[in-house]
Amino acid sequence: VETVVCNSQAALDAAVRKMQYPIVLKAVGPVHKTEVGGVVLNLNSREQVLEEYRRLEKIPDVKAVQIQEMKFGEELYCGAIRQGQFGHLVLCGLGGIFLEVLNDVANGLAPLNEAEARSMVRSLKAYKIIRGYRNRPGVNEDLFVDAVVRVASLVHLAPEIAELDINPFKGSPGELVAVDARIRI
């Protein structure tokens, strides 16, 4: 999702004018933003955005504030970690806080083909959420599988990547958008 990093109220104002509400603000600096109150969702006015920006600036270790248009859908995760001489282990599952709470993650060694990635996605206990349930639309499985294959290809071609996390993706029937990502070389 389009992201603008703001170090001043003037930069924030300029970014807000180019985006549609609702807006999300995220603290830049702390690794686990949610643990320090560093993620604010569903901001629907300039006044709300400014108020939360001022609050986020005061959190210890915050270097700047990211602003994004809010995306809706199920939260998904895809990541990879280098495993010494064996290459990269690629992981996928539900994202956001569900990644740590449920620990429902599938894995495979990079590179992965489409069939291997699809098998990983379908092996998740939470696959019913991806498919859709109780009148919830679910996620475009093909887009998620493609993302897993692409992450596996990236880390296979760039062995200098030690860790990669895309958490979360926001997935719906029509799109899959990376909302937050981290790469460690």
Side-chain angles (χ1 to χ4, degrees):
V1 68
E2 182 179 347
T3 301
V4 178
V5 177
C6 302
N7 291 311
S8 69
Q9 187 172 320
L12 182 76
D13 280 334
V16 168
R17 281 193 289 277
K18 296 176 185 173
M19 294 187 181
Q20 293 182 352
Y21 291 99
I23 286 176
V24 175
L25 295 182
K26 297 178 183 178
V28 175
V31 174
H32 296 290
K33 297 180 247 324
T34 55
E35 290 180 10
V36 297
V39 177
V40 187
L41 307 174
N42 281 319
L43 298 173
N44 288 299
S45 70
R46 180 181 179 278
E47 294 74 26
Q48 285 181 321
V49 170
L50 289 173
E51 180 181 330
E52 290 300 328
Y53 175 81
R54 290 183 194 116
R55 184 185 66 78
L56 291 175
E57 278 186 313
K58 295 175 186 171
I59 295 174
D61 300 322
V62 169
K63 296 170 179 51
V65 175
Q66 289 179 348
I67 181 170
Q68 301 171 326
E69 287 182 15
M70 186 151 173
K71 293 291 185 177
F72 296 92
E74 299 295 344
E75 291 190 341
L76 303 171
Y77 162 77
C78 185
I81 186 164
R82 190 174 54 226
Q83 298 291 304
Q85 66 193 37
F86 299 104
H88 286 85
L89 189 63
V90 179
L91 307 131
C92 71
L94 289 185
I97 63 168
F98 299 111
L99 179 62
E100 293 178 26
V101 173
L102 300 178
N103 198 27
D104 179 22
V105 178
N107 62 71
L109 283 174
L112 295 168
N113 63 36
E114 186 268 341
E116 292 166 325
R118 189 170 305 279
S119 177
M120 287 170 56
V121 169
R122 289 183 175 176
S123 74
L124 296 167
K125 292 177 198 156
Y127 180 64
K128 289 179 183 176
I129 293 171
I130 293 169
R131 252 190 15 236
Y133 67 99
R134 293 189 180 182
N135 297 322
R136 290 181 65 125
V139 174
N140 185 317
E141 182 180 338
D142 292 335
L143 292 176
F144 189 37
V145 167
D146 185 60
V148 174
V149 170
R150 287 173 182 261
V151 165
S153 297
L154 174 63
V155 296
H156 183 69
L157 293 171
E160 64 273 17
I161 295 175
E163 291 180 40
L164 180 151
D165 287 308
I166 302 173
N167 187 21
F169 279 108
K170 286 288 189 159
S172 66
E175 70 177 349
L176 182 73
V177 179
V179 176
D180 211 345
R182 182 180 64 85
I183 297 176
R184 187 170 65 83
I185 304 296

